[in-house]
């Protein structure tokens, strides 16, 4: 895995929190997550919602008071389950220190697009019984200044964002071999309005018809017991988390498109004739116009429980092994309301009633047993074999409380249950060519379950979607030379993806759903190097080449926005590269100054399978320069940084549908 130091406030917009799709090695698709996200020992994911897309969002915490960040590339299905097709991201928070009292106070002041923001962090560590029981309290707050304007509503600087949270950890060494860790974390965020720009406007300009804030509350509770016996280590973990969020989505584009739809006219007037008369169509258009502008107001509640029992060998020898049991139960419910909005303010008109309203709730139950064994663990040549057997059961229920005749939710009442089982397998052979150089070859498998789409009115062949799976074949090396002053990790891989799950749009653009788009292949090269040029000067570089294409046509032609053989996967840049340089200056009184620069390039990709067609947006193709200077004394430090020095303004991601929007770099 890759580890790096984390500053109290990384140079990343916290307005992105909770709305990111994590992706590694070009394994990018809708449905269940393709990259697993862990906090300590607990995996977390987002709700299914109305689009059966838990991987489209994640309950993200700000990276504050973090001990380590570990990135595991490639399928990690054996140990981390079906959500790790592309890899896993593991965040470990600092545990209480049982030996000494301590703390940290930090404050930050920032400016973005001429606006001022900032934040603060407080960390307190207190042993209760020295060397036996301790507490650690972390509290933080971050205000992000706004940089997006809404040209249609005449509002400037609309997307200011506030995030605050608190975390409490307890550690108890009950004996020399038994440790108990308990933690509770809470975070709230309040984004005032969209951080996206409209497709045909500059990156910081929105032309949305309505205001689309985003707020949420995350609570995570964990308990872990670790026991060391004679040659073994047992870890039992239980976690529960909840995520309550409210999403606003501009619905006006669908209303504009559907206002002259004869089928909508028939539904509205309950007409028995095959076609509406011109007068009837005008009546229907007037009704649609009365509901415009419109918005989706969607409160979402997610609750999940996770339990895992993990047993592994804890002694030197030729054989090392790991075995475990895993269980997860995840419930979510979304109340999807279509409301009319005030054209002047963009706020919902609560007195105007519902254009439509439906409820969708889902429950996913997962059970798994897994294991890995390493033969030759203490030898130069070793073989790792791993397997995970898992079973899923997914229940989904939909109910239309108010039928939306415009987009047609008359078929939104349903109840389904699907069950599925599968395997994730792994085989790895490694050889140590020298004490500091290791080479390996690996074949590993990833898998995700299928499900049933909650979108109403879909054809029979699109109501359900099947599981998808992939095999990854990889050769790589890890080494260090020149007395460990030069390190290099490199990997060459190819991924064969079967029945890839992806998002498509209904014919009227009102609904998104998951379907299988056939086969895909991802060929890639990764390299990461670091070099100590002198005791006070070091640098590094990284490179990722990714060729991700469909190798067969989509499974169905009934959905809009799908691809065909030869199309490149959306939002996967073929080239990403970067480099960094850090200089340490030691001062006579013992203080140090660190100067660092990071330069990265994100290659050009597209937001859809078909470049230049429909709502496609060009993504990437930009350089990003960051500079940082840190002054450190014995017990305090002062830091200054500039993110996006050249004020690059390019799209990083874009949405599709009737009113596509793009997420770009923030101005500095």
């Amino acid at each position: 895995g890759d580890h790096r130091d984390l500053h109290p406030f990384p140079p990343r917009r916290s307005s992105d929190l909770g709305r990111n799709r994590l992706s590694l090695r070009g394994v990018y698709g809708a449905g269940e997550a393709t990259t697993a996200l862990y906090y300590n020992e607990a995996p977390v994911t987002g709700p299914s919602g109305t689009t059966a897309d838990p991987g489209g969002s994640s309950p993200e915490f700000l990276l504050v008071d973090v001990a380590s960040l570990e990135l595991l590339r490639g399928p990690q299905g054996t140990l981390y389950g079906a959500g790790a097709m592309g890899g896993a991201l593991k965040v470990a928070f600092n545990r209480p220190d049982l030996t000494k009292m301590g703390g940290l106070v930090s404050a930050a002041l920032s400016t973005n697009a001429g606006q001022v923001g900032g934040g603060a962090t407080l960390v307190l560590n207190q042993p209760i019984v020295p060397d036996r029981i301790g507490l650690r309290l972390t509290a933080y707050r971050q205000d992000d200044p706004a940089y997006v304007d809404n040209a249609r509503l005449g509002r400037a600087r609309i997307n200011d964002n506030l995030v605050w949270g608190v975390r409490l950890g307890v550690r108890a060494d009950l004996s020399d071999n038994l440790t108990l860790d308990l933690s509770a974390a809470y975070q709230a965020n309040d984004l005032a309005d969209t951080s996206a720009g409209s497709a045909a406007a500059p990156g910081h300009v929105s032309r949305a018809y309505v205001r689309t804030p985003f707020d949420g509350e995350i609570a995570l509770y964990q308990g872990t017991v670790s026991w060391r016996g004679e040659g073994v280590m047992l870890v039992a973990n239980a976690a529960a988390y909840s995520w309550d969020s409210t999403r606003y989505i501009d619905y006006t584009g669908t209303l504009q498109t559907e206002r002259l739809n004869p089928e909508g006219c028939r539904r509205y007037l309950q007409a028995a004739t095959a076609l509406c008369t011109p007068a009837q169509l005008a009546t229907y258009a007037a009704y649609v116009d009365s509901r415009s502008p419109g918005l989706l107001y969607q409160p979402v509640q997610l609750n999940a429980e996770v339990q895992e029992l993990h047993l592994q060998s804890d002694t030197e020898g030729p054989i090392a092994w790991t075995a475990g049991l895993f269980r997860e139960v995840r419930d979510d419910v979304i109340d999807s309301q279509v409301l009319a909005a005030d054209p002047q303010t963009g706020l919902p008109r609560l007195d105007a009633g519902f254009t439509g309203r439906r409820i969708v709730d889902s429950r996913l139950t997962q059970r798994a047993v897994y294991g890995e064994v390493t033969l030759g663990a203490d030898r130069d040549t070793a073989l790792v074999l791993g397997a995970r057997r898992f079973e899923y059961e997914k229940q989904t229920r939909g109910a239309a409380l108010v039928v939306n005749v415009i987009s047609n939710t008359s078929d939104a009442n349903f109840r389904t249950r699907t069950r599925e089982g599968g395997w994730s397998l792994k085989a790895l052979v490694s050889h140590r060519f020298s004490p500091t150089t290791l080479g390996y070859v690996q074949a590993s498998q990833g898998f995700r379950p299928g499900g049933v789409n909650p979108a109403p009115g879909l054809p029979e062949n699109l109501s359900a979607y099947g599981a998808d799976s992939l095999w990854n074949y990889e050769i790589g090396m890890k080494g260090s030379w020149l007395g460990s002053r030069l390190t290099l990790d490199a990997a060459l891989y190819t991924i064969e993806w079967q029945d890839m799950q992806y998002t498509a749009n209904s014919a009227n653009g009102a609904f998104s759903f998951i379907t299988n788009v056939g086969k895909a292949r991802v060929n890639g090269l990764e390299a990461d190097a670091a070099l100590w040029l002198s005791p006070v000067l070091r640098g590094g570089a990284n490179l990722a080449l990714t060729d991700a294409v469909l190798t067969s046509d989509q499974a169905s032609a009934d959905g809009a926005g799908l691809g065909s053989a030869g199309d490149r996967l959306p939002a996967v840049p073929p080239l990403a590269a970067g480099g960094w340089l850090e200089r340490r200056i030691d001062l006579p009184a013992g203080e140090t100054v660190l100067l660092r620069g990071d330069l990265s390039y994100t290659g050009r990709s597209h937001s859809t399978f078909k470049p230049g067609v429909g709502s496609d947006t060009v993504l990437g193709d930009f350089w990003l320069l960051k500079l940082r200077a840190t002054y450190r004394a014995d017990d305090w430090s002062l830091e200054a940084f500039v993110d996006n020095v050249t004020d690059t303004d390019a799209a990083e991601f874009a949405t599709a549908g009737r009113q596509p929007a793009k997420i770009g770099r923030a101005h500095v």
Side-chain angles (χ1 to χ4, degrees), residues 61-95:
F61 286 93
L62 278 183
L63 299 181
V64 176
D65 196 27
V66 170
S68 66
L69 185 69
E70 187 176 10
L71 189 63
L72 305 173
R73 302 178 185 273
Q76 300 291 331
T78 303
L79 297 181
Y80 300 104
M85 291 179 71
L89 175 61
K90 300 181 64 179
V91 179
F93 296 122
N94 279 314
R95 302 286 196 183

Side-chain angles (χ1 to χ4, degrees), residues 594-646:
L594 291 177
L595 304 175
R596 179 173 175 125
D598 292 80
L599 180 65
S600 62
Y601 173 74
T602 300
R604 180 188 180 102
S605 63
H606 290 264
S607 64
T608 65
F609 284 105
K610 305 294 185 183
V613 176
S615 60
D616 174 61
T617 300
V618 176
L619 307 176
D621 194 19
F622 62 82
W623 291 90
L624 188 63
L625 175 62
K626 304 177 183 181
L627 299 177
R628 183 178 297 271
T630 306
Y631 178 88
R632 291 180 179 172
D634 288 339
D635 55 3
W636 65 276
S637 64
L638 179 65
E639 187 171 74
F641 66 87
V642 181
D643 186 19
N644 194 5
V645 174
T646 58

Side-chain angles (χ1 to χ4, degrees), residues 388-420:
R388 185 184 189 97
R389 172 64 187 180
F390 53 85
E391 295 181 351
Y392 286 87
E393 180 180 284
K394 187 169 186 178
Q395 303 174 58
T396 307
R397 181 183 67 89
L401 305 184
V402 178
V403 173
N404 184 344
V405 298
I406 300 172
S407 59
N408 190 14
T409 59
S410 58
D411 295 330
N413 298 303
F414 64 91
R415 184 186 298 269
T416 65
R417 174 181 294 183
T418 59
R419 294 183 177 181
E420 200 159 6

Side-chain angles (χ1 to χ4, degrees), residues 157-205:
R157 303 297 190 264
I158 62 175
N159 65 321
D160 53 291
N161 187 56
L162 169 64
V163 179
W164 67 271
V166 61
R167 189 165 65 245
L168 177 65
V170 179
R171 166 162 282 193
D173 279 350
L174 303 177
S175 70
D176 292 342
N177 297 324
L178 184 62
T179 299
L180 172 66
D181 282 297
L182 301 174
S183 66
Y186 173 85
Q187 178 177 284
N189 73 280
D190 183 6
L191 174 64
D193 208 332
T194 181
S195 295
S198 297
H204 67 288
V205 175

Side-chain angles (χ1 to χ4, degrees), residues 432-521:
R432 191 170 295 280
F433 296 96
S434 73
T436 61
T437 305
L438 175 75
Y440 68 90
V441 293
Q442 175 179 230
S444 53
Q445 189 179 23
F447 179 92
R448 289 189 301 171
V452 175
N453 282 301
L458 292 177
E460 178 78 19
N461 63 317
L462 293 179
S463 61
Y465 56 97
D468 62 350
S469 62
L470 57 79
W471 274 99
N472 170 70
Y473 306 97
E474 179 176 348
I475 182 172
M477 63 88 64
K478 303 175 183 291
S480 64
W481 302 270
L482 305 177
S484 297
R485 287 186 294 132
L486 172 63
T487 62
L488 174 65
D489 292 354
L492 184 67
Y493 63 89
T494 184
I495 294 173
E496 298 289 342
W497 197 346
Q498 302 286 331
D499 299 319
M500 174 185 174
Q501 296 173 15
Y502 211 81
T503 295
N505 295 316
S506 60
N508 64 2
F511 305 107
S512 296
F513 60 93
I514 308 297
T515 190
N516 301 99
V517 297
K519 301 178 181 179
R521 177 182 297 119

